[in-house]
PDB file of all heavy atoms in Angstrom:
ATOM      1  N   GLY A  94       7.768   6.483   9.333  1.00 98.00           N
ATOM      2  CA  GLY A  94       6.387   6.027   9.390  1.00 98.00           C
ATOM      3  C   GLY A  94       6.310   4.607   9.933  1.00 98.00           C
ATOM      4  O   GLY A  94       5.407   4.271  10.701  1.00 98.00           O
ATOM      5  N   THR A  95       7.259   3.790   9.534  1.00 98.00           N
ATOM      6  CA  THR A  95       7.295   2.400  10.017  1.00 98.00           C
ATOM      7  C   THR A  95       7.409   2.367  11.542  1.00 98.00           C
ATOM      8  O   THR A  95       6.703   1.607  12.215  1.00 98.00           O
ATOM      9  CB  THR A  95       8.484   1.654   9.385  1.00 98.00           C
ATOM     10  OG1 THR A  95       8.301   1.638   7.970  1.00 98.00           O
ATOM     11  CG2 THR A  95       8.577   0.227   9.898  1.00 98.00           C
ATOM     12  N   VAL A  98       4.155   3.241  13.086  1.00 98.00           N
ATOM     13  CA  VAL A  98       3.255   2.081  13.044  1.00 98.00           C
ATOM     14  C   VAL A  98       3.597   1.115  14.178  1.00 98.00           C
ATOM     15  O   VAL A  98       2.722   0.658  14.932  1.00 98.00           O
ATOM     16  CB  VAL A  98       3.349   1.361  11.680  1.00 98.00           C
ATOM     17  CG1 VAL A  98       2.700  -0.021  11.733  1.00 98.00           C
ATOM     18  CG2 VAL A  98       2.686   2.212  10.581  1.00 98.00           C
ATOM     19  N   HIS A  99       4.885   0.807  14.304  1.00 98.00           N
ATOM     20  CA  HIS A  99       5.297  -0.146  15.348  1.00 98.00           C
ATOM     21  C   HIS A  99       4.930   0.366  16.740  1.00 98.00           C
ATOM     22  O   HIS A  99       4.358  -0.365  17.556  1.00 98.00           O
ATOM     23  CB  HIS A  99       6.811  -0.398  15.261  1.00 98.00           C
ATOM     24  CG  HIS A  99       7.217  -1.141  14.029  1.00 98.00           C
ATOM     25  ND1 HIS A  99       8.530  -1.326  13.673  1.00 98.00           N
ATOM     26  CD2 HIS A  99       6.481  -1.744  13.057  1.00 98.00           C
ATOM     27  CE1 HIS A  99       8.581  -2.013  12.537  1.00 98.00           C
ATOM     28  NE2 HIS A  99       7.353  -2.262  12.144  1.00 98.00           N
ATOM     29  N   LEU A 102       0.872   0.480  17.187  1.00 98.00           N
ATOM     30  CA  LEU A 102       0.226  -0.825  17.312  1.00 98.00           C
ATOM     31  C   LEU A 102       0.696  -1.564  18.570  1.00 98.00           C
ATOM     32  O   LEU A 102      -0.106  -2.040  19.375  1.00 98.00           O
ATOM     33  CB  LEU A 102       0.508  -1.650  16.050  1.00 98.00           C
ATOM     34  CG  LEU A 102      -0.280  -2.948  15.880  1.00 98.00           C
ATOM     35  CD1 LEU A 102      -0.434  -3.286  14.398  1.00 98.00           C
ATOM     36  CD2 LEU A 102       0.374  -4.140  16.583  1.00 98.00           C
ATOM     37  N   LEU A 103       2.009  -1.610  18.735  1.00 98.00           N
ATOM     38  CA  LEU A 103       2.540  -2.386  19.865  1.00 98.00           C
ATOM     39  C   LEU A 103       2.255  -1.701  21.199  1.00 98.00           C
ATOM     40  O   LEU A 103       2.129  -2.369  22.230  1.00 98.00           O
ATOM     41  CB  LEU A 103       4.043  -2.602  19.675  1.00 98.00           C
ATOM     42  CG  LEU A 103       4.420  -3.452  18.444  1.00 98.00           C
ATOM     43  CD1 LEU A 103       5.923  -3.410  18.199  1.00 98.00           C
ATOM     44  CD2 LEU A 103       3.953  -4.894  18.619  1.00 98.00           C
ATOM     45  N   VAL A 115      -4.282  -9.878  17.716  1.00 98.00           N
ATOM     46  CA  VAL A 115      -4.672  -8.737  16.887  1.00 98.00           C
ATOM     47  C   VAL A 115      -5.608  -9.223  15.783  1.00 98.00           C
ATOM     48  O   VAL A 115      -5.357 -10.260  15.173  1.00 98.00           O
ATOM     49  CB  VAL A 115      -3.426  -8.072  16.261  1.00 98.00           C
ATOM     50  CG1 VAL A 115      -3.826  -6.965  15.277  1.00 98.00           C
ATOM     51  CG2 VAL A 115      -2.507  -7.514  17.353  1.00 98.00           C
ATOM     52  N   VAL A 116      -6.656  -8.476  15.546  1.00 98.00           N
ATOM     53  CA  VAL A 116      -7.520  -8.723  14.386  1.00 98.00           C
ATOM     54  C   VAL A 116      -7.216  -7.645  13.365  1.00 98.00           C
ATOM     55  O   VAL A 116      -7.229  -6.447  13.695  1.00 98.00           O
ATOM     56  CB  VAL A 116      -9.016  -8.686  14.786  1.00 98.00           C
ATOM     57  CG1 VAL A 116      -9.898  -8.851  13.554  1.00 98.00           C
ATOM     58  CG2 VAL A 116      -9.315  -9.782  15.802  1.00 98.00           C
ATOM     59  N   ASP A 117      -6.904  -8.048  12.144  1.00 98.00           N
ATOM     60  CA  ASP A 117      -6.588  -7.045  11.127  1.00 98.00           C
ATOM     61  C   ASP A 117      -7.029  -7.523   9.754  1.00 98.00           C
ATOM     62  O   ASP A 117      -7.684  -8.567   9.628  1.00 98.00           O
ATOM     63  CB  ASP A 117      -5.089  -6.666  11.160  1.00 98.00           C
ATOM     64  CG  ASP A 117      -4.174  -7.808  10.764  1.00 98.00           C
ATOM     65  OD1 ASP A 117      -4.663  -8.951  10.549  1.00 98.00           O
ATOM     66  OD2 ASP A 117      -2.962  -7.587  10.652  1.00 98.00           O
ATOM     67  N   SER A 118      -6.672  -6.760   8.735  1.00 98.00           N
ATOM     68  CA  SER A 118      -7.009  -7.145   7.363  1.00 98.00           C
ATOM     69  C   SER A 118      -5.781  -7.773   6.731  1.00 98.00           C
ATOM     70  O   SER A 118      -4.661  -7.508   7.159  1.00 98.00           O
ATOM     71  CB  SER A 118      -7.452  -5.918   6.564  1.00 98.00           C
ATOM     72  OG  SER A 118      -6.315  -5.244   6.050  1.00 98.00           O
ATOM     73  N   VAL A 120      -4.599  -6.986   3.973  1.00 98.00           N
ATOM     74  CA  VAL A 120      -4.023  -6.043   3.017  1.00 98.00           C
ATOM     75  C   VAL A 120      -3.293  -4.904   3.727  1.00 98.00           C
ATOM     76  O   VAL A 120      -3.002  -3.873   3.118  1.00 98.00           O
ATOM     77  CB  VAL A 120      -5.098  -5.483   2.053  1.00 98.00           C
ATOM     78  CG1 VAL A 120      -5.676  -6.605   1.200  1.00 98.00           C
ATOM     79  CG2 VAL A 120      -6.198  -4.754   2.802  1.00 98.00           C
ATOM     80  N   GLU A 121      -2.984  -5.094   5.018  1.00 98.00           N
ATOM     81  CA  GLU A 121      -2.222  -4.078   5.739  1.00 98.00           C
ATOM     82  C   GLU A 121      -0.807  -3.972   5.176  1.00 98.00           C
ATOM     83  O   GLU A 121      -0.268  -4.932   4.603  1.00 98.00           O
ATOM     84  CB  GLU A 121      -2.160  -4.446   7.231  1.00 98.00           C
ATOM     85  CG  GLU A 121      -3.512  -4.470   7.934  1.00 98.00           C
ATOM     86  CD  GLU A 121      -4.216  -3.133   7.916  1.00 98.00           C
ATOM     87  OE1 GLU A 121      -3.584  -2.124   8.266  1.00 98.00           O
ATOM     88  OE2 GLU A 121      -5.402  -3.089   7.528  1.00 98.00           O
ATOM     89  N   HIS A 122      -0.205  -2.824   5.390  1.00 97.00           N
ATOM     90  CA  HIS A 122       1.194  -2.613   4.987  1.00 97.00           C
ATOM     91  C   HIS A 122       2.089  -3.598   5.740  1.00 97.00           C
ATOM     92  O   HIS A 122       1.768  -4.014   6.864  1.00 97.00           O
ATOM     93  CB  HIS A 122       1.591  -1.172   5.313  1.00 97.00           C
ATOM     94  CG  HIS A 122       2.909  -0.760   4.749  1.00 97.00           C
ATOM     95  ND1 HIS A 122       4.106  -1.052   5.369  1.00 97.00           N
ATOM     96  CD2 HIS A 122       3.224  -0.096   3.616  1.00 97.00           C
ATOM     97  CE1 HIS A 122       5.093  -0.573   4.626  1.00 97.00           C
ATOM     98  NE2 HIS A 122       4.588   0.013   3.567  1.00 97.00           N
ATOM     99  N   SER A 123       3.217  -3.920   5.137  1.00 96.00           N
ATOM    100  CA  SER A 123       4.130  -4.875   5.781  1.00 96.00           C
ATOM    101  C   SER A 123       4.592  -4.375   7.157  1.00 96.00           C
ATOM    102  O   SER A 123       4.910  -5.194   8.026  1.00 96.00           O
ATOM    103  CB  SER A 123       5.336  -5.140   4.884  1.00 96.00           C
ATOM    104  OG  SER A 123       6.019  -3.938   4.610  1.00 96.00           O
ATOM    105  N   ALA A 124       4.615  -3.069   7.387  1.00 97.00           N
ATOM    106  CA  ALA A 124       5.008  -2.553   8.706  1.00 97.00           C
ATOM    107  C   ALA A 124       4.042  -3.062   9.782  1.00 97.00           C
ATOM    108  O   ALA A 124       4.457  -3.421  10.891  1.00 97.00           O
ATOM    109  CB  ALA A 124       5.021  -1.022   8.699  1.00 97.00           C
ATOM    110  N   VAL A 125       2.759  -3.102   9.468  1.00 98.00           N
ATOM    111  CA  VAL A 125       1.751  -3.608  10.404  1.00 98.00           C
ATOM    112  C   VAL A 125       1.925  -5.119  10.574  1.00 98.00           C
ATOM    113  O   VAL A 125       1.922  -5.646  11.688  1.00 98.00           O
ATOM    114  CB  VAL A 125       0.330  -3.278   9.891  1.00 98.00           C
ATOM    115  CG1 VAL A 125      -0.728  -4.003  10.703  1.00 98.00           C
ATOM    116  CG2 VAL A 125       0.098  -1.770   9.910  1.00 98.00           C
ATOM    117  N   ARG A 126       2.112  -5.800   9.463  1.00 97.00           N
ATOM    118  CA  ARG A 126       2.233  -7.260   9.518  1.00 97.00           C
ATOM    119  C   ARG A 126       3.463  -7.687  10.308  1.00 97.00           C
ATOM    120  O   ARG A 126       3.416  -8.636  11.094  1.00 97.00           O
ATOM    121  CB  ARG A 126       2.264  -7.830   8.106  1.00 97.00           C
ATOM    122  CG  ARG A 126       0.906  -7.656   7.398  1.00 97.00           C
ATOM    123  CD  ARG A 126       1.020  -7.732   5.898  1.00 97.00           C
ATOM    124  NE  ARG A 126       1.353  -9.062   5.408  1.00 97.00           N
ATOM    125  CZ  ARG A 126       0.456 -10.014   5.139  1.00 97.00           C
ATOM    126  NH1 ARG A 126      -0.821  -9.787   5.368  1.00 97.00           N
ATOM    127  NH2 ARG A 126       0.831 -11.168   4.675  1.00 97.00           N
ATOM    128  N   HIS A 127       4.561  -6.970  10.108  1.00 97.00           N
ATOM    129  CA  HIS A 127       5.777  -7.288  10.866  1.00 97.00           C
ATOM    130  C   HIS A 127       5.568  -7.022  12.363  1.00 97.00           C
ATOM    131  O   HIS A 127       6.047  -7.786  13.206  1.00 97.00           O
ATOM    132  CB  HIS A 127       6.969  -6.488  10.344  1.00 97.00           C
ATOM    133  CG  HIS A 127       7.538  -7.024   9.064  1.00 97.00           C
ATOM    134  ND1 HIS A 127       8.067  -8.291   8.957  1.00 97.00           N
ATOM    135  CD2 HIS A 127       7.658  -6.468   7.836  1.00 97.00           C
ATOM    136  CE1 HIS A 127       8.496  -8.492   7.710  1.00 97.00           C
ATOM    137  NE2 HIS A 127       8.247  -7.400   7.011  1.00 97.00           N
ATOM    138  N   ALA A 128       4.887  -5.922  12.678  1.00 98.00           N
ATOM    139  CA  ALA A 128       4.645  -5.602  14.095  1.00 98.00           C
ATOM    140  C   ALA A 128       3.782  -6.678  14.747  1.00 98.00           C
ATOM    141  O   ALA A 128       4.048  -7.101  15.876  1.00 98.00           O
ATOM    142  CB  ALA A 128       3.974  -4.231  14.217  1.00 98.00           C
ATOM    143  N   VAL A 129       2.760  -7.132  14.037  1.00 98.00           N
ATOM    144  CA  VAL A 129       1.889  -8.183  14.579  1.00 98.00           C
ATOM    145  C   VAL A 129       2.689  -9.472  14.777  1.00 98.00           C
ATOM    146  O   VAL A 129       2.611 -10.121  15.829  1.00 98.00           O
ATOM    147  CB  VAL A 129       0.676  -8.425  13.650  1.00 98.00           C
ATOM    148  CG1 VAL A 129      -0.112  -9.659  14.088  1.00 98.00           C
ATOM    149  CG2 VAL A 129      -0.234  -7.192  13.629  1.00 98.00           C
ATOM    150  N   ALA A 130       3.496  -9.812  13.762  1.00 97.00           N
ATOM    151  CA  ALA A 130       4.282 -11.050  13.848  1.00 97.00           C
ATOM    152  C   ALA A 130       5.288 -10.984  14.994  1.00 97.00           C
ATOM    153  O   ALA A 130       5.567 -11.987  15.656  1.00 97.00           O
ATOM    154  CB  ALA A 130       5.003 -11.298  12.523  1.00 97.00           C
ATOM    155  N   TRP A 131       5.798  -9.795  15.244  1.00 97.00           N
ATOM    156  CA  TRP A 131       6.845  -9.630  16.263  1.00 97.00           C
ATOM    157  C   TRP A 131       6.270  -9.581  17.667  1.00 97.00           C
ATOM    158  O   TRP A 131       6.828 -10.155  18.595  1.00 97.00           O
ATOM    159  CB  TRP A 131       7.615  -8.334  15.973  1.00 97.00           C
ATOM    160  CG  TRP A 131       8.788  -8.099  16.862  1.00 97.00           C
ATOM    161  CD1 TRP A 131      10.038  -8.608  16.719  1.00 97.00           C
ATOM    162  CD2 TRP A 131       8.804  -7.279  18.045  1.00 97.00           C
ATOM    163  NE1 TRP A 131      10.841  -8.147  17.734  1.00 97.00           N
ATOM    164  CE2 TRP A 131      10.119  -7.340  18.551  1.00 97.00           C
ATOM    165  CE3 TRP A 131       7.853  -6.488  18.700  1.00 97.00           C
ATOM    166  CZ2 TRP A 131      10.512  -6.639  19.696  1.00 97.00           C
ATOM    167  CZ3 TRP A 131       8.227  -5.801  19.839  1.00 97.00           C
ATOM    168  CH2 TRP A 131       9.547  -5.880  20.331  1.00 97.00           C
ATOM    169  N   GLY A 132       5.145  -8.865  17.818  1.00 97.00           N
ATOM    170  CA  GLY A 132       4.695  -8.561  19.165  1.00 97.00           C
ATOM    171  C   GLY A 132       3.424  -9.237  19.637  1.00 97.00           C
ATOM    172  O   GLY A 132       3.205  -9.352  20.845  1.00 97.00           O
ATOM    173  N   ALA A 133       2.588  -9.661  18.711  1.00 97.00           N
ATOM    174  CA  ALA A 133       1.296 -10.201  19.128  1.00 97.00           C
ATOM    175  C   ALA A 133       1.374 -11.710  19.303  1.00 97.00           C
ATOM    176  O   ALA A 133       2.252 -12.369  18.750  1.00 97.00           O
ATOM    177  CB  ALA A 133       0.218  -9.854  18.101  1.00 97.00           C
ATOM    178  N   GLU A 138      -6.778 -12.594  10.421  1.00 97.00           N
ATOM    179  CA  GLU A 138      -6.961 -11.731   9.260  1.00 97.00           C
ATOM    180  C   GLU A 138      -8.363 -11.949   8.705  1.00 97.00           C
ATOM    181  O   GLU A 138      -8.733 -13.064   8.360  1.00 97.00           O
ATOM    182  CB  GLU A 138      -5.903 -12.036   8.194  1.00 97.00           C
ATOM    183  CG  GLU A 138      -4.521 -11.548   8.586  1.00 97.00           C
ATOM    184  CD  GLU A 138      -3.501 -11.742   7.486  1.00 97.00           C
ATOM    185  OE1 GLU A 138      -3.770 -12.524   6.548  1.00 97.00           O
ATOM    186  OE2 GLU A 138      -2.430 -11.115   7.568  1.00 97.00           O
ATOM    187  N   LEU A 163      -6.491  -5.688  20.203  1.00 98.00           N
ATOM    188  CA  LEU A 163      -6.802  -4.541  19.364  1.00 98.00           C
ATOM    189  C   LEU A 163      -7.148  -4.973  17.952  1.00 98.00           C
ATOM    190  O   LEU A 163      -6.879  -6.109  17.560  1.00 98.00           O
ATOM    191  CB  LEU A 163      -5.619  -3.557  19.309  1.00 98.00           C
ATOM    192  CG  LEU A 163      -4.375  -4.036  18.551  1.00 98.00           C
ATOM    193  CD1 LEU A 163      -4.036  -3.078  17.427  1.00 98.00           C
ATOM    194  CD2 LEU A 163      -3.193  -4.136  19.497  1.00 98.00           C
ATOM    195  N   VAL A 164      -7.713  -4.017  17.220  1.00 98.00           N
ATOM    196  CA  VAL A 164      -7.980  -4.188  15.795  1.00 98.00           C
ATOM    197  C   VAL A 164      -7.070  -3.227  15.044  1.00 98.00           C
ATOM    198  O   VAL A 164      -6.879  -2.075  15.469  1.00 98.00           O
ATOM    199  CB  VAL A 164      -9.462  -3.904  15.478  1.00 98.00           C
ATOM    200  CG1 VAL A 164      -9.702  -3.817  13.977  1.00 98.00           C
ATOM    201  CG2 VAL A 164     -10.351  -4.978  16.102  1.00 98.00           C
ATOM    202  N   ALA A 165      -6.475  -3.688  13.957  1.00 98.00           N
ATOM    203  CA  ALA A 165      -5.654  -2.822  13.109  1.00 98.00           C
ATOM    204  C   ALA A 165      -6.273  -2.760  11.727  1.00 98.00           C
ATOM    205  O   ALA A 165      -6.535  -3.797  11.105  1.00 98.00           O
ATOM    206  CB  ALA A 165      -4.219  -3.349  13.021  1.00 98.00           C
ATOM    207  N   LEU A 166      -6.530  -1.526  11.267  1.00 98.00           N
ATOM    208  CA  LEU A 166      -7.099  -1.352   9.919  1.00 98.00           C
ATOM    209  C   LEU A 166      -6.568  -0.052   9.326  1.00 98.00           C
ATOM    210  O   LEU A 166      -6.693   1.010   9.929  1.00 98.00           O
ATOM    211  CB  LEU A 166      -8.632  -1.329   9.973  1.00 98.00           C
ATOM    212  CG  LEU A 166      -9.328  -1.159   8.608  1.00 98.00           C
ATOM    213  CD1 LEU A 166      -9.030  -2.338   7.684  1.00 98.00           C
ATOM    214  CD2 LEU A 166     -10.836  -0.988   8.798  1.00 98.00           C
ATOM    215  N   GLN A 167      -6.030  -0.162   8.138  1.00 98.00           N
ATOM    216  CA  GLN A 167      -5.514   1.008   7.419  1.00 98.00           C
ATOM    217  C   GLN A 167      -6.658   1.951   7.032  1.00 98.00           C
ATOM    218  O   GLN A 167      -7.792   1.502   6.838  1.00 98.00           O
ATOM    219  CB  GLN A 167      -4.784   0.547   6.155  1.00 98.00           C
ATOM    220  CG  GLN A 167      -5.691  -0.200   5.205  1.00 98.00           C
ATOM    221  CD  GLN A 167      -4.995  -1.071   4.180  1.00 98.00           C
ATOM    222  OE1 GLN A 167      -5.638  -1.599   3.300  1.00 98.00           O
ATOM    223  NE2 GLN A 167      -3.700  -1.259   4.283  1.00 98.00           N
ATOM    224  N   HIS A 171      -2.481   1.075   0.429  1.00 97.00           N
ATOM    225  CA  HIS A 171      -1.322   1.721  -0.191  1.00 97.00           C
ATOM    226  C   HIS A 171      -1.027   1.192  -1.586  1.00 97.00           C
ATOM    227  O   HIS A 171      -0.296   1.809  -2.335  1.00 97.00           O
ATOM    228  CB  HIS A 171      -0.113   1.504   0.706  1.00 97.00           C
ATOM    229  CG  HIS A 171       0.115   0.049   1.050  1.00 97.00           C
ATOM    230  ND1 HIS A 171      -0.761  -0.669   1.855  1.00 97.00           N
ATOM    231  CD2 HIS A 171       1.078  -0.812   0.691  1.00 97.00           C
ATOM    232  CE1 HIS A 171      -0.330  -1.903   1.961  1.00 97.00           C
ATOM    233  NE2 HIS A 171       0.782  -2.032   1.268  1.00 97.00           N
ATOM    234  N   PHE A 191      -6.171   0.561  15.979  1.00 98.00           N
ATOM    235  CA  PHE A 191      -4.990   1.214  15.421  1.00 98.00           C
ATOM    236  C   PHE A 191      -5.224   1.406  13.940  1.00 98.00           C
ATOM    237  O   PHE A 191      -5.606   0.455  13.233  1.00 98.00           O
ATOM    238  CB  PHE A 191      -3.723   0.367  15.634  1.00 98.00           C
ATOM    239  CG  PHE A 191      -2.572   0.914  14.838  1.00 98.00           C
ATOM    240  CD1 PHE A 191      -1.910   2.051  15.272  1.00 98.00           C
ATOM    241  CD2 PHE A 191      -2.189   0.343  13.634  1.00 98.00           C
ATOM    242  CE1 PHE A 191      -0.879   2.604  14.517  1.00 98.00           C
ATOM    243  CE2 PHE A 191      -1.158   0.884  12.874  1.00 98.00           C
ATOM    244  CZ  PHE A 191      -0.501   2.021  13.328  1.00 98.00           C
ATOM    245  N   THR A 192      -5.000   2.627  13.438  1.00 98.00           N
ATOM    246  CA  THR A 192      -5.146   2.823  11.998  1.00 98.00           C
ATOM    247  C   THR A 192      -3.837   3.322  11.387  1.00 98.00           C
ATOM    248  O   THR A 192      -3.239   4.295  11.857  1.00 98.00           O
ATOM    249  CB  THR A 192      -6.322   3.765  11.652  1.00 98.00           C
ATOM    250  OG1 THR A 192      -6.546   3.712  10.233  1.00 98.00           O
ATOM    251  CG2 THR A 192      -6.084   5.208  12.044  1.00 98.00           C
ATOM    252  N   ASP A 193      -3.394   2.594  10.381  1.00 98.00           N
ATOM    253  CA  ASP A 193      -2.231   3.000   9.595  1.00 98.00           C
ATOM    254  C   ASP A 193      -2.748   3.992   8.549  1.00 98.00           C
ATOM    255  O   ASP A 193      -3.399   3.602   7.587  1.00 98.00           O
ATOM    256  CB  ASP A 193      -1.610   1.763   8.941  1.00 98.00           C
ATOM    257  CG  ASP A 193      -0.581   2.128   7.878  1.00 98.00           C
ATOM    258  OD1 ASP A 193      -0.179   3.305   7.800  1.00 98.00           O
ATOM    259  OD2 ASP A 193      -0.173   1.220   7.121  1.00 98.00           O
ATOM    260  N   ALA A 194      -2.419   5.263   8.773  1.00 98.00           N
ATOM    261  CA  ALA A 194      -2.920   6.322   7.889  1.00 98.00           C
ATOM    262  C   ALA A 194      -1.842   6.804   6.919  1.00 98.00           C
ATOM    263  O   ALA A 194      -1.988   7.859   6.304  1.00 98.00           O
ATOM    264  CB  ALA A 194      -3.439   7.486   8.731  1.00 98.00           C
ATOM    265  N   CYS A 195      -0.783   6.026   6.782  1.00 98.00           N
ATOM    266  CA  CYS A 195       0.362   6.481   5.974  1.00 98.00           C
ATOM    267  C   CYS A 195      -0.036   6.795   4.523  1.00 98.00           C
ATOM    268  O   CYS A 195       0.487   7.725   3.923  1.00 98.00           O
ATOM    269  CB  CYS A 195       1.471   5.435   5.995  1.00 98.00           C
ATOM    270  SG  CYS A 195       2.295   5.301   7.605  1.00 98.00           S
ATOM    271  N   ALA A 211      -0.878   6.308  12.552  1.00 98.00           N
ATOM    272  CA  ALA A 211       0.495   6.576  12.111  1.00 98.00           C
ATOM    273  C   ALA A 211       0.500   7.185  10.720  1.00 98.00           C
ATOM    274  O   ALA A 211      -0.355   6.884   9.886  1.00 98.00           O
ATOM    275  CB  ALA A 211       1.311   5.274  12.106  1.00 98.00           C
ATOM    276  N   HIS A 348       1.135  -9.305  -1.306  1.00 95.00           N
ATOM    277  CA  HIS A 348       0.131  -9.962  -0.461  1.00 95.00           C
ATOM    278  C   HIS A 348      -1.226  -9.260  -0.591  1.00 95.00           C
ATOM    279  O   HIS A 348      -2.260  -9.860  -0.326  1.00 95.00           O
ATOM    280  CB  HIS A 348       0.592 -10.009   0.991  1.00 95.00           C
ATOM    281  CG  HIS A 348       0.687  -8.673   1.661  1.00 95.00           C
ATOM    282  ND1 HIS A 348       1.814  -7.892   1.616  1.00 95.00           N
ATOM    283  CD2 HIS A 348      -0.220  -7.960   2.355  1.00 95.00           C
ATOM    284  CE1 HIS A 348       1.592  -6.772   2.278  1.00 95.00           C
ATOM    285  NE2 HIS A 348       0.369  -6.778   2.726  1.00 95.00           N
TER     286      HIS A 348
END
Side-chain angles (χ1 to χ4, degrees):
Chain A
T95 298
V98 166
H99 292 172
L102 190 152
L103 296 170
V115 174
V116 176
D117 66 355
S118 84
V120 296
E121 297 299 310
H122 190 277
S123 59
V125 170
R126 292 159 69 87
H127 283 299
V129 171
W131 185 83
E138 288 185 344
L163 69 122
V164 169
L166 180 63
Q167 61 199 187
H171 53 292
F191 169 76
T192 190
D193 168 12
C195 290
H348 67 272

